[in-house]
Every structure is written in structure tokens, then in C-alpha cells.
């Protein structure tokens, strides 16, 4: 396969995060770039990790990769003490900047987990003039909330299950997914519990939520989960590269 014209780095924690961030970004590119088509997308851009052959750079591996690269970082940040995630995000961006084949942009995808905000990621992005665009995707509180924003009942059974979840939670799990703030797995307000109930744990059904629901609807419903902000950043920072 021939090399893609552009390479976009991804920093995230798991394959599902990578697929969500990259899939949404691809949809924006296809909508915004007039000459781009689904059949030419793969020849135009490649999503990668620290190395071109890697799918993504895992957050949990950043410190070890920095140690291997003998990367030593001193000092704080221009706007004050480092916020949560700021140092690790800076390490990740430095690693990407030092890569033998430097990407044209880097997406940093992260779960908020009801305790993390954008401040640390913003600090790392603003730390210096990076040789690539940096796009932040913070799912508040979790990636599953972005998927829920795209859920549209296809059958009467799915509509019934959506109503059951609304009654169980006392709020609408699609329109108000930001309220699914539980950090404990299996808790009442666990976003994964709600998503599994609606999709029956079917990964293809889950994927369809983000692939088939219009971007306009995703933005409208995702205003409080960080989804709308991510799509905006892709439009403003990634689209102009092409």
C-alpha cells in the first residue's frame, strides 16, 4: 500500500477510544473537504501512534516511552503550576515531535471520568509552538457518552429499552448523557451500563451510533460531553491541513 499524504498521531488509552476519535474526525474531513471521498480517504491520511506502524500511543505507555527516549523535562508551564495530565500530555507531544517521521497533527483523546477537565491538556498544547496541529478530545465523563449521543432507536424493542433506561435513571440517557457520572463500574449512573442496555453490547450497533447519526445531531446532543467541542477542533485545526 502506498504511503498516505498525511499522518495524524493519536494519543489515547484504548482501541475503542482510538476508533471513536479517528472515526469522527474522518467524518468531519469527508464532510468539509470537497475533493475527499470515502474511497480515497485511506490514501490521503493515516492514523498512527508514536511510530507509523503503531495504531496509537497509549497514555499509560507515555512515561516508559519517554524513559526509553531519554527524554528529560524541566520546568513548569507559562500560566502556572501544572494541572492534571499536563506533564504526561507534554511528554506525549514531545515524543511525537521527536519521532523519526513526525506526524502532521496529533489528537489527544481522554476520558474526563467526572474528575478531569481540559486544563492540563490545554497547558501542554500551549506550552510551546508545536510542529503540528494539536487537537483535544475530552469525553465528559466517558467515551460511551459520545456514543449515546448518536443512539437512534431502530426498532420498537430499542425504543422500549430507551424508555426503560430513562425511567431507571430519571433522565434521558441520550440527550443528557453528561449526567452519567458514575466512576464505579456497574453503578446506576455508569455510562457503559446504559450503552450496553441500549445496544445489547453489540459493537457494530455501537459503531453505527457514531457513523450513521448526522454530525449536526451529534453536536447538538454532545454539547455537555465534550463531543461538540471535539468536532469543532477537528474543523478548525485538522481540516485546514488538507
Amino acid at each position: 500500500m502506498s504511503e498516505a499524504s498525511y499522518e495524524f498521531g493519536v494519543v489515547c488509552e484504548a482501541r475503542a477510544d482510538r476508533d471513536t476519535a479517528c472515526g469522527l474526525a474522518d467524518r468531519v474531513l469527508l464532510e468539509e473537504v470537497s475533493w475527499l471521498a470515502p474511497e480515497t480517504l485511506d490514501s490521503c491520511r493515516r492514523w498512527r501512534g508514536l511510530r507509523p506502524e503503531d495504531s496509537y500511543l497509549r497514555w499509560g505507555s507515555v512515561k516508559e516511552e519517554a524513559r526509553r527516549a531519554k527524554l528529560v523535562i524541566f520546568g513548569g508551564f507559562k500560566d502556572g503550576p501544572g494541572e492534571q495530565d499536563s506533564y504526561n500530555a507534554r511528554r506525549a507531544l514531545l515524543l511525537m515531535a521527536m519521532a523519526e517521521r513526525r506526524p502532521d497533527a496529533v489528537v489527544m483523546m481522554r476520558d474526563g471520568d467526572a474528575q478531569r477537565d481540559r486544563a492540563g491538556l490545554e497547558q501542554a498544547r500551549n506550552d510551546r509552538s508545536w510542529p503540528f496541529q494539536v487537537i483535544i478530545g475530552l469525553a465528559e465523563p466517558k467515551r460511551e457518552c459520545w456514543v449515546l449521543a448518536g443512539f437512534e432507536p431502530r426498532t420498537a424493542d430499542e425504543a422500549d429499552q430507551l424508555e426503560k433506561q430513562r425511567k431507571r435513571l430519571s433522565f434521558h440517557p441520550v440527550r443528557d448523557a453528561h449526567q452519567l457520572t458514575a466512576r464505579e463500574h456497574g453503578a446506576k449512573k455508569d455510562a457503559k451500563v446504559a450503552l450496553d442496555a441500549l445496544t445489547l453490547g453489540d459493537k457494530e450497533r455501537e459503531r453505527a451510533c457514531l457513523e450513521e447519526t448526522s454530525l449536526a445531531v451529534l453536536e447538538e446532543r454532545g454539547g455537555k460531553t465534550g463531543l461538540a467541542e471535539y468536532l469543532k477542533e477537528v474543523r478548525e485545526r485538522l481540516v485546514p491541513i488538507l
Side-chain angles (χ1 to χ4, degrees):
M1 185 178 69
S2 60
E3 292 185 2
S5 302
Y6 301 96
E7 293 191 352
F8 303 144
V10 189
V11 188
C12 59
E13 192 53 39
R15 180 71 193 212
D17 302 321
R18 185 256 189 205
D19 290 347
T20 295
C22 299
L24 287 168
D26 281 345
R27 287 194 64 189
V28 174
L29 291 176
L30 288 168
E31 183 177 273
E32 297 288 332
V33 181
S34 60
W35 53 265
L36 198 58
E39 59 270 20
T40 61
L41 186 60
D42 286 340
S43 63
C44 178
R45 65 90 190 95
R46 175 186 296 169
W47 294 101
R48 50 165 275 197
L50 182 56
R51 291 162 287 273
E53 64 270 22
D54 298 335
S55 295
Y56 59 92
L57 172 58
R58 191 171 69 87
W59 282 112
S61 300
V62 169
K63 287 185 179 179
E64 177 60 20
E65 290 285 358
R67 186 191 65 77
R68 290 178 186 170
K70 298 181 180 179
L71 180 61
V72 180
I73 304 174
F74 294 102
F77 294 86
K78 295 180 290 187
D79 57 354
E83 299 284 348
Q84 185 177 19
D85 275 345
S86 59
Y87 290 100
N88 213 33
R90 182 165 64 179
R91 287 188 195 97
L93 294 176
L94 284 168
L95 286 167
M96 290 287 188
M98 294 166 54
E100 185 175 347
R101 281 172 55 179
R102 196 162 59 199
D104 299 284
V106 175
V107 170
M108 295 194 295
M109 177 72 182
R110 200 69 156 135
D111 275 357
D113 285 327
Q115 61 174 343
R116 182 184 287 116
D117 58 29
R118 293 175 59 93
L121 300 177
E122 293 277 8
Q123 273 188 320
R125 177 164 66 181
N126 298 332
D127 185 53
R128 62 197 66 192
S129 179
W130 298 104
F132 39 62
Q133 285 288 347
V134 179
I135 297 95
I136 294 172
L138 185 71
E140 301 178 15
K142 293 183 178 181
R143 178 198 69 89
E144 285 83 0
C145 294
W146 288 13
V147 183
L148 283 165
F151 182 80
E152 297 277 6
R154 290 175 170 176
T155 65
D157 286 344
E158 287 192 351
D160 287 344
Q161 186 56 242
L162 179 58
E163 179 61 15
K164 287 179 183 177
Q165 292 302 306
R166 186 194 66 76
K167 290 180 178 178
R168 179 181 72 85
L169 294 164
S170 299
F171 60 83
H172 201 287
V174 172
R175 295 194 299 266
D176 301 313
H178 62 282
Q179 294 189 43
L180 294 165
T181 55
R183 294 171 58 189
E184 303 82 10
H185 179 65
K188 179 178 179 179
K189 292 186 178 181
D190 182 355
K192 185 170 179 16
V193 170
L195 180 61
D196 284 349
L198 296 179
T199 63
L200 300 180
D202 184 341
K203 296 304 178 184
E204 289 301 318
R205 182 68 183 90
E206 179 179 321
R207 187 176 295 110
C209 293
L210 295 178
E211 289 182 352
E212 298 177 7
T213 303
S214 73
L215 291 176
V217 169
L218 291 175
E219 285 184 287
E220 179 184 356
R221 294 175 179 170
K224 294 182 179 180
T225 64
L227 175 53
E229 183 68 19
Y230 175 64
L231 296 175
K232 180 181 181 215
E233 289 222 355
V234 171
R235 286 193 177 92
E236 293 178 350
R237 294 174 178 269
L238 197 62
V239 168
I241 295 175
L242 274 65

